[in-house]
Amino acid sequence: MNKIEDYLIHLQYDRRLSENTVIAYRTDLLHFQEFLQGEGLDFLHVSRDDLTEYIIRLHEEDRLPATIRRALSALNGFYSFLIRMDEA
């Protein structure tokens, strides 16, 4: 299983988040993964500048502020999960 799926399972079964939230986080994380792949990066090799570029990209895609906040929340939770799992 991959890291994203591990995190989503954690959200669904351990944190008991709603199905809609889990689906939205999946979408956000996969979008970020596509961005990273386009930059030749992966989840474990991301800098602050990379995250800034991603946020700029979200703005350029005319994402709503609430959507951007949710994406950042998904990323924050994902990286916290990786740290707790000692994988980052």
Side-chain angles (χ1 to χ4, degrees), residues 28-67:
D28 294 333
L29 291 169
L30 292 175
H31 186 263
F32 183 60
Q33 184 177 42
E34 288 175 14
F35 166 79
L36 292 177
Q37 289 171 343
E39 299 293 315
L41 300 168
D42 63 43
F43 283 118
L44 300 181
H45 300 96
V46 178
S47 71
R48 183 177 299 232
D49 290 340
D50 298 323
L51 289 171
T52 299
E53 284 298 317
Y54 181 64
I55 294 167
I56 290 169
R57 174 86 50 92
L58 292 175
H59 283 286
E60 289 172 347
E61 293 174 354
D62 291 325
R63 302 290 175 115
L64 295 173
T67 302

Side-chain angles (χ1 to χ4, degrees), residues 53-85:
E53 284 298 317
Y54 181 64
I55 294 167
I56 290 169
R57 174 86 50 92
L58 292 175
H59 283 286
E60 289 172 347
E61 293 174 354
D62 291 325
R63 302 290 175 115
L64 295 173
T67 302
I68 294 171
R69 285 191 301 272
R70 188 197 64 225
L72 295 176
S73 178
L75 290 173
N76 183 52
F78 178 67
Y79 279 105
S80 294
F81 174 79
L82 291 180
I83 290 167
R84 281 193 312 275
M85 298 294 113

